[in-house]
Amino acid sequence: MVKAPSIWRTSTFRLVALYAVLFCVSIAALICFVQLQINAYMYRQIDDELNWERRYFVAFPVGEIDRHIASRVARDHLGHNFYAVFGPTGEAVAGDIRALPADLRADGIPHSVGSLELSNGRTRPDARAVAVTLPDERTLVLAFDTGDWVEITDGLLKALAVGGLVMLVAGVGGVFVWSVRPIRRILEIQRIAQRVVLGDLKQRMPVTGQHDELDMMSGIINHMLGDIEGLVGEVKSVCDAIAHDLRTPLARLHTLLNSLESSYAPDDPKRQTLLQAIDQTDTLLGRFAALLRVSEIEQLQRRSGFAELELDGLLSDIHELYAPLAEGKQIDLSLDLRHAVRIHGDRGLLFEAISNLVDNAIKFAPSGGIVRLAVRKARAGTFAIDVCDNGPGIPEEEHEAVQKRFYRGRRNQSEQGHGLGLSIVAAVARLHEFRLEIGASDGLTRISIQGDAYVAPPPERPSLALNGAV
């Protein structure tokens, strides 16, 4: 049985997963690009301002630079620009920078400094500064606090990341929501396909009228099922008509041969010939009866005869029926009901199918052989009815063929039969939505009917009436 599709294995999910990966990579690339552009623009603006101030202060006479720096410090209320003059030994002479940054070179080019110590005791972790050596060997330092720019940049990047994540979650969530309906339709298509596999060719795929891909596929399959149903019906009707029409003249022929046989003496050679002809007509009548029985089972659509039944009682009756036959061939016919369960099915049809298996096992097992009839747990919630024997067995390449009509295994050509026994068993199994499997166990040939154990439906809740009012 094909497993039900899950969202994780659908092409829609794979496409969404690929889209999500591409979306994440695109967002990451966008964030990196935006950050690089903002940083480049920010540093370009700050460096232009620092270079302009450097040229402005250097243009004054050396003796007036300290006064202009003090004036600029007094007029700067935003707290973004910082100015200082340091002596040849590194002591602060003027301005609001307390210490000369250790990683700042006096080359007249703006650089980023890791920490900027101010005269008011505060420290700026992010700053851009330029230093130049004055003619009197002192060092002029001009700095700009980039902390606000960094916060703006981080906020913008976080907004992009959060927005991208929200869009991704919303998109993926929306796809999951929209995927539920197609998955349900696929599950319904799978359920109907399994019914078709079991032989119910009247089933049709659901069409919602949305004219999407699933509707197109369902329409094609429905058209194909209609043609197949018509062809199979014609073939079955022809075969059934032939079997039914020939059975009546064969029965009359059988009656005439019996009448003619009784008119000859027991030692007359012609009587032996008539007995052989009667045996052949019996064989033909048996084949036609079995063929019509297979068709009858396969054409059953209603399950009015289905009910809850216990396997232990069913198998015990079959064991009791065939015990004398097995004893006559000195065959050990054992019965194991340790794992017997309740199932839902037609007792008469199941009795007929399992009886066929036991009859074949006793027929092909050698004298003094072994035949086992048992129930086992195949998986959780499932059962298997096993019929095992130590007969010639069925080659693996014939496991499918022996379930078809009139096929007889190469190892069993010497035994009498019509080649329809397993066809009847397979038809009953399909009607019950069971599986017929052929294999081996402990050196014995094993034929199993597997299916789901019966689960009783929950009891209906009684309606409640208040004060006699419904």
Side-chain angles (χ1 to χ4, degrees), residues 6 12 15 20 38 89 98 120-121 130 141 159 170 219 234 292 354 361 445:
S6 63
T12 302
L15 183 62
I38 292 178
T89 58
R98 183 172 61 181
N120 58 6
V130 61
V141 177
E234 291 178 3
L292 291 174
I354 301 172
T445 300

Side-chain angles (χ1 to χ4, degrees), residues 309 314 343 345-354 428 432 434:
L309 59 95
L314 175 65
I343 64 173
D346 188 304
R347 194 180 195 280
L349 291 177
L350 289 174
F351 189 95
E352 180 180 358
I354 301 172
V428 173
H432 287 76
F434 295 161

Side-chain angles (χ1 to χ4, degrees), residues 41 47 88 116 160 181 264 311 355 415 423 449:
Y41 176 78
D47 290 349
L116 189 66
L160 287 174
R181 183 180 177 87
Y264 287 95
L311 278 181
S355 297
E415 296 288 342
S423 299
I449 298 177

Side-chain angles (χ1 to χ4, degrees), residues 208-229:
T208 62
Q210 297 179 358
H211 305 290
D212 55 4
E213 296 84 353
L214 291 178
D215 275 358
M216 294 174 61
M217 181 185 69
S218 297
I220 295 173
I221 296 177
N222 288 340
H223 182 73
M224 179 179 63
L225 287 175
D227 292 343
I228 293 176
E229 181 186 11

Side-chain angles (χ1 to χ4, degrees), residues 259-337:
S259 300
L260 185 61
E261 181 265 338
S262 61
S263 63
Y264 287 95
D267 56 348
D268 194 329
K270 294 181 179 180
R271 184 173 182 274
Q272 299 300 323
T273 304
L274 286 174
L275 289 175
Q276 294 178 0
I278 291 173
D279 289 339
Q280 294 298 321
T281 55
D282 286 338
T283 300
L284 289 174
L285 286 172
R287 288 190 177 183
F288 283 130
L291 181 62
L292 291 174
R293 181 56 178 159
V294 173
S295 298
E296 178 185 354
I297 295 173
E298 289 180 343
Q299 290 175 1
L300 286 176
Q301 299 296 332
R302 297 183 300 105
R303 299 188 176 189
S304 56
F306 278 41
E308 178 186 353
L309 59 95
E310 300 284 350
L311 278 181
D312 52 358
L314 175 65
L315 298 185
S316 296
D317 291 345
I318 296 175
H319 180 267
E320 182 179 354
L321 175 64
Y322 282 93
L325 178 62
E327 184 178 355
K329 289 189 63 175
Q330 298 181 348
I331 291 176
D332 180 17
L333 176 59
S334 63
L335 177 63
D336 185 359
L337 300 176

